Amino acid sequence: ASLVSFEDVEVVYPGRGLALGPVSLSIAPGEILALVGPSGGGKSTALRLLAGLEQPTRGEVRRTTRRGETAVVFQAPTLAPWLSAQANVALPLELGGMAKREAYDRAAEALARVGLAGTERMRPAALSGGMAMRVSLARAMVTEPRLLLLDEPFAALDEITRRTLADDVLALWEVSKPAIVFVTHNVEEAAYMASRVAVLTRGPGRIAGIAQIDAPLP
Ligand code: ADP
Ligand code: ADP
């Protein structure tokens, strides 16, 4: 059973023609799918459809995940500046009704898992770009989503930070094995992290190909 599936999905923006499609694609539990392709190829549009932030113009998006079982991490971290790192990570748990003490304990664990033990009380402004992205990843994972969507999560970071973050994402994946769909321009990153790669083309956006990577996941 897939978590989300696209059936002949198309997105047309008025006056701009086809942004995506027709695309058929399904996301299986626990898989790591990379969406690669040129700028304007429809990758972000596909991600917004997967997140339920947008509806297709034609075709159907079917999902078996409930609201709250999908987490999204955007390229620019969207942390609340007035809250500490720990409070940011605890927030989705507290909003879900968890007691503050337990939410903070779990947030501390999640921060430790991405190498940020000791940063609990720091404010976002005091964090580097890579650290802020790690906090965003911890916040996304603390609710143990079944589907994690990452929109070019490492694009703004330097090469070395990208690599350690890719390893952090894989380490987080090991804990609860959510399906992960991530958008990237970086084919090397896709090959390193993904179990499947979907290539979206520009113009009349469509899937140019889907490559199954045979190498086992790390
Ligand atoms: P990618 O993420 O691969 O760069 P996008 O999904 O952002 O591609 O965009 C695909 C196409 O749709 C582009 O031509 C883009 O300009 C257009 N587009 C994306 N979002 C919108 C929008 N909200 N309104 C109008 N056009 C859009
Ligand atoms: P990326 O290429 O990094 O995926 P884009 O620049 O395509 O990002 O899109 C950034 C934001 O701008 C998205 O929210 C998208 O919906 C919006 N957008 C992109 N192209 C257009 C457009 N032509 N008209 C209106 N909004 C757009």
Side-chain angles (χ1 to χ4, degrees):
S2 63
L3 295 178
V4 192
S5 65
F6 286 4
E7 271 171 50
D8 297 319
V9 160
E10 290 181 36
V11 173
V12 177
Y13 294 113
R16 294 196 50 95
L18 204 55
L20 177 74
V23 165
S24 294
L25 179 69
S26 75
I27 313 300
E31 77 165 321
I32 303 183
L33 175 73
L35 292 179
V36 301
S39 186
K43 302 184 294 298
S44 299
T45 302
L47 212 72
R48 289 195 299 270
L49 292 173
L50 289 171
L53 295 171
E54 194 171 317
Q55 299 304 316
T57 313
R58 278 187 282 279
E60 209 179 338
V61 177
R62 291 210 180 99
R63 67 185 72 243
T64 59
T65 50
R66 286 191 300 273
R67 203 177 262 286
E69 292 181 326
T70 300
V72 191
V73 175
F74 296 100
Q75 180 175 333
T78 53
L79 301 172
W82 61 89
L83 294 177
S84 67
Q86 189 172 17
N88 266 284
V89 175
L91 191 59
L93 295 175
E94 291 187 87
L95 290 174
M98 190 180 284
K100 180 168 177 171
R101 177 183 293 261
E102 188 180 356
Y104 272 57
D105 284 349
R106 291 205 190 183
E109 279 169 32
L111 285 169
R113 225 174 273 130
V114 292
L116 288 182
T119 66
E120 290 82 1
R121 309 187 79 119
M122 289 171 73
R123 312 263 152 194
L127 303 171
S128 69
M131 289 163 87
M133 181 52 71
R134 284 196 180 84
V135 175
S136 296
L137 285 170
R139 183 183 55 182
M141 291 299 291
V142 78
T143 58
E144 300 191 353
R146 298 181 70 203
L147 177 61
L148 175 65
L149 305 173
L150 308 174
D151 195 357
E152 302 216 38
F154 317 140
L157 306 170
D158 63 78
E159 183 70 18
I160 292 169
T161 307
R162 296 173 83 103
R163 278 167 198 257
T164 50
L165 269 171
D167 287 332
D168 284 339
V169 171
L170 293 175
L172 286 173
W173 178 85
E174 284 287 343
V175 178
S176 55
K177 299 201 169 47
I180 298 179
V181 179
F182 73 102
V183 165
T184 181
H185 284 106
N186 189 326
V187 172
E188 218 184 313
E189 194 170 281
Y192 182 66
M193 291 179 62
S195 48
R196 202 155 62 107
V197 177
V199 182
L200 298 174
T201 58
R202 209 198 314 256
R206 63 190 173 86
I207 291 194
I210 295 184
Q212 189 71 43
I213 296 177
D214 289 331
L217 285 163

